């Protein structure tokens, strides 16, 4: 077996961070490994995939380079990922099966037994903002052959610090081909908390890849993240998430921000869409402000970025673009979720970002064969989904954050009635009214007790 060279990114105190960003360490080099740089500029961005027919034809004809001879990001990622196999960079060879589940939400499920058995054991966390720990596994300990390439934007630098290195590395326990990890500023050893810089990198990569099966995902601590070192997932999924076909609602009085919630989708989410490049900065800022508020309030969350048709607030609950005529725009779904304290070993499936978007991974053949849409929703409701009252309250606060008002300004007084009461007091109050009903996993029950046709926007 070939020897694996270890590149300790940021392990040396002098190379990890200099006192001054102007005076570089003597041993500093632009790249700490043999991996190449992928240089890009905003002129390479693809706002709408539907307008890229010529690029698609070039790809089909075998042309994988741009006019200036630069390899496209999609092709570089695939080439470097496949090349990593010869260096034993993966824990297993992909051997997956898929099935599409019957039901309202068109869920897809993958069987990936090896990932359940061979992936790195998830770490135990108690808080969303736990400090970085150099003694635990982190991405400064990557092997050289696990680093695919570094990212650099020529026209608009990702960072003004010349020590920053933004890398894309293999995921040693992949879900699909080319499943990789995006690690912004790896040398700074940031904890698993999204930064504006990380949001910018995620949006840029979505705009650079000309494939509607490409997604970028983020899991916070207490939200199925397994490593406390800032990273996102870049991956393909062979089936469209039905989430992109669903109707949304306006988020209170916030322009161009939306929400989706049961029964329209299996769990609630805040939705952002980049509909024109003039809104590029505002799109990134809105996404960051949203996750920043969730982090500050210690609310676990998952992000799912995809190419979706223009957001609708009217019409049918679900509208597919069967003719392939509608624009495909970068869209970010933010799922606030229940906090999960501690590490949960994989059993049937763990509801993280991909799962909340309807793309499930099963770790056992038994669950893969027997799971139904109802059983999947039951698990998501029990382990991830916020109840409607909590989500509604959160939406009012997020509207204030995004508009720039004091948090709580928009919240109706009736939402504050239970504030200040302890959990036992709230339970006793509920019992006294004889009206409290536990959450039901039944889709039929949810649809009959709460329909969006009877409701307007969240106000």
């Amino acid at each position: 077996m070939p020897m694996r060279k270890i590149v300790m990114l940021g392990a040396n105190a002098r190379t990890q961070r200099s006192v001054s960003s102007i005076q570089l360490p003597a041993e500093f080099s632009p790249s700490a490994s043999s991996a190449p740089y992928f240089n890009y500029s905003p002129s390479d961005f693809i706002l709408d995939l539907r307008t890229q027919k010529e690029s698609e034809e070039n790809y089909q004809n075998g042309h994988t380079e741009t006019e200036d001879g630069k390899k496209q990001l999609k092709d570089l990622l695939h080439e470097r990922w496949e090349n990593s196999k010869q260096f034993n960079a993966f824990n297993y060879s992909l051997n997956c099966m898929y099935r599409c589940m019957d039901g309202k939400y068109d869920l897809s499920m993958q069987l990936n037994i090896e990932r359940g058995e061979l992936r790195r054991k998830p770490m135990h966390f108690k808080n969303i903002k736990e400090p970085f720990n150099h003694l635990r596994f982190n991405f400064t300990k990557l092997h050289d052959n696990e680093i695919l390439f570094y990212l650099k934007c020529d026209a608009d630098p990702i960072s003004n610090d010349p020590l920053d290195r933004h890398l894309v590395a293999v995921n040693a326990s992949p879900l699909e081909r080319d499943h990789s990890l995006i690690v912004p500023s790896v040398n700074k050893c940031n904890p698993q908390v999204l930064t504006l810089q990380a949001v910018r990198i995620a949006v840029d990569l979505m705009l650079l890849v000309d494939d509607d099966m490409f997604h970028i995902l983020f899991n916070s601590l207490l939200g199925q993240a397994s490593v406390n070192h800032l990273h996102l997932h870049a991956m393909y999924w062979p089936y469209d998430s039905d989430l992109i076909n669903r109707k949304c609602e306006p988020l209170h009085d916030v322009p161009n921000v939306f929400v989706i919630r049961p029964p329209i989708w299996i769990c609630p989410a805040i939705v952002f869409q980049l509909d024109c490049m003039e809104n590029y900065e505002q799109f990134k800022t809105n996404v960051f402000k949203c996750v920043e508020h969730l982090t500050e309030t210690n609310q676990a969350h998952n992000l799912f970025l995809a190419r979706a048709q223009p957001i609708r607030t009217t019409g049918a609950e679900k509208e597919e673009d069967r003719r392939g005529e509608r624009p495909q725009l970068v869209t970010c779904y933010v799922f606030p979720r229940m906090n999960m304290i501690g590490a949960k070993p994989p059993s049937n499936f763990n509801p993280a970002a991909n799962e909340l978007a309807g793309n499930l991974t099963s770790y056992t053949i038994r669950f893969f064969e027997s799971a139904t849409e109802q059983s999947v929703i039951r698990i998501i409701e029990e382990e991830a989904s916020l109840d409607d009252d909590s989500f509604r309250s959160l939406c009012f606060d997020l509207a204030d954050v995004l508009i720039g008002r004091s948090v709580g300004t928009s919240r109706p007084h009736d939402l504050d009635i239970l504030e200040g009461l302890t959990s036992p007091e709230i339970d006793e109050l509920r019992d006294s009214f004889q009206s409290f009903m536990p959450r039901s996993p039944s889709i039929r029950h949810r649809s009959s007790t709460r329909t969006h046709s009877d409701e307007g926007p969240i106000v």
Side-chain angles (χ1 to χ4, degrees):
M1 183 176 68
M3 295 295 291
R4 302 174 72 178
K5 177 183 176 184
I6 299 178
V7 178
M8 302 297 287
L9 302 176
N12 184 311
R14 294 181 64 196
T15 58
Q16 176 191 332
R17 197 83 172 95
S18 69
V19 177
S20 169
S21 294
I22 300 175
Q23 183 177 359
L24 301 180
E27 69 272 30
F28 174 78
S29 63
S31 175
S33 79
S34 59
Y37 267 83
F38 177 80
N39 296 65
Y40 69 93
S41 68
S43 62
D44 299 322
F45 290 163
I46 304 170
L47 177 66
D48 174 17
L49 289 186
R50 295 291 184 208
T51 64
Q52 297 300 308
K53 294 181 180 179
E54 183 177 347
S55 296
E56 292 176 3
E57 291 174 359
N58 286 341
Y59 179 76
Q60 292 172 358
N61 293 332
H63 300 292
T64 62
E65 295 183 350
T66 58
E67 292 181 358
D68 58 1
K70 182 175 65 178
K71 191 176 291 291
Q72 294 181 4
L73 177 59
K74 174 181 175 179
D75 302 301
L76 177 64
L77 175 63
H78 180 66
E79 178 184 289
R80 295 283 297 171
W81 195 89
E82 288 290 331
N83 188 59
S84 296
K85 291 180 179 179
Q86 64 180 301
F87 299 111
N88 196 31
F90 301 98
N91 293 332
Y92 51 83
S93 298
L94 281 170
N95 183 27
C96 302
M97 297 174 58
Y98 289 88
R99 59 174 286 230
C100 295
M101 306 177 69
D102 295 329
K104 176 180 179 179
Y105 299 107
D106 290 336
L107 307 179
S108 59
M109 179 176 287
Q110 175 199 77
L111 175 63
N112 195 334
I113 297 175
E114 289 86 355
R115 178 173 169 83
E117 295 177 346
L118 301 176
R119 67 176 296 195
R120 180 178 291 104
K121 183 180 179 180
M123 299 177 185
H124 181 89
F125 304 112
K126 296 182 179 179
N127 194 288
I128 289 179
K129 296 179 68 175
E130 291 196 14
F132 181 88
N133 188 339
H134 286 272
L135 299 179
R136 306 179 85 173
F137 174 79
N138 60 78
F139 299 115
T140 67
K141 302 177 181 180
L142 288 170
H143 299 284
D144 184 42
N145 51 52
E146 293 176 302
I147 302 173
L148 300 179
F149 52 86
Y150 293 90
L151 294 167
K152 184 177 181 181
C153 184
D154 295 324
D156 182 17
I158 299 173
S159 170
N160 293 325
D161 189 340
L163 288 178
D164 277 355
R165 295 191 294 277
H166 318 286
L167 63 83
V168 177
V170 300
N171 187 324
S173 299
L175 287 171
E176 255 293 345
R177 66 176 181 85
D178 300 348
H179 184 181
S180 308
L181 301 175
I182 306 165
V183 188
S185 299
V186 61
N187 48 297
K188 287 185 175 176
C189 298
N190 294 317
Q192 183 67 349
V193 174
L194 267 184
T195 61
L196 181 58
Q197 183 186 79
V199 172
R200 181 255 174 97
I201 293 175
V203 175
D204 285 3
L205 294 189
M206 286 297 302
L207 290 168
L208 288 167
V209 176
D210 59 337
D211 194 318
D212 59 1
M213 293 184 179
F214 182 76
H215 304 288
I216 292 180
L217 305 90
F218 174 83
N219 301 316
S220 75
L221 301 187
L222 310 189
Q224 297 293 345
S226 58
V227 177
N228 188 22
H229 190 174
L230 179 55
H231 68 285
L232 303 93
H233 293 259
M235 60 173 290
Y236 296 90
W237 192 260
Y239 297 94
D240 282 339
S241 166
D242 198 35
L243 178 59
I244 67 174
N245 302 317
R246 297 285 168 163
K247 180 176 70 172
C248 298
E249 306 171 29
L251 175 60
H252 198 22
D253 58 345
V254 186
N256 301 319
V257 182
F258 307 88
V259 300
I260 188 170
R261 52 181 175 167
I264 303 295
W265 187 243
I266 57 179
C267 58
I270 315 294
V271 188
F272 307 87
Q273 188 169 79
L274 180 58
D275 56 356
C276 63
M277 290 310 300
E278 288 74 15
N279 293 336
Y280 170 77
E281 293 295 336
Q282 189 62 54
F283 176 78
K284 294 185 301 179
T285 301
N286 283 346
V287 173
F288 174 68
K289 284 184 176 180
C290 177
V291 296
E292 183 182 40
H293 176 74
L294 295 174
T295 301
E296 292 300 323
T297 55
N298 203 45
Q299 183 73 62
H301 49 278
N302 307 105
L303 270 69
F304 179 79
L305 281 85
R307 290 281 186 168
Q309 61 176 290
I311 290 176
R312 299 179 298 106
T313 57
T314 59
E317 287 187 4
K318 171 182 176 178
E319 236 178 64
E320 294 184 51
D321 181 23
R322 294 182 179 273
R323 294 184 178 180
E325 298 174 341
R326 298 175 185 173
Q328 291 180 303
L329 305 173
V330 173
T331 308
C332 179
Y333 300 88
V334 180
F335 299 100
R337 55 172 297 151
M338 291 189 290
N339 293 0
M340 178 169 288
I341 306 296
K344 183 180 183 294
S347 51
N348 294 324
F349 80 94
N350 291 340
N354 208 35
E355 285 73 17
L356 298 186
N359 307 324
L360 315 169
T361 295
S362 172
Y363 301 116
T364 65
I365 183 66
R366 180 177 179 180
F367 185 76
F368 178 77
E369 293 179 338
S370 63
T372 63
E373 184 178 85
Q374 186 172 350
S375 66
V376 166
I377 291 176
R378 181 185 299 114
I379 293 174
I380 290 175
E381 285 190 332
E382 291 175 351
E383 299 184 8
S385 185
L386 287 182
D387 64 85
D388 192 71
D389 289 338
S390 298
F391 182 68
R392 182 166 177 258
S393 175
L394 176 62
C395 285
F396 283 111
D397 292 344
L398 282 174
D400 290 337
V401 169
L402 294 173
I403 289 293
R405 298 185 291 252
S406 298
V407 174
T409 302
S410 304
R411 186 194 295 255
H413 295 297
D414 60 349
L415 291 179
D416 299 324
I417 293 176
L418 299 181
E419 286 193 3
L421 298 179
T422 63
S423 295
E425 288 172 335
I426 293 176
D427 292 338
E428 184 177 350
L429 184 62
R430 284 169 169 163
D431 292 340
S432 68
F433 280 101
Q434 300 291 316
S435 61
F436 173 66
M437 180 177 293
R439 297 168 64 197
S440 168
S442 169
I443 301 173
R444 184 179 298 108
H445 171 74
R446 291 165 60 187
S447 300
S448 62
T449 57
R450 182 180 182 85
T451 61
H452 284 256
S453 60
D454 298 328
E455 302 179 44
I458 292 184
V459 293

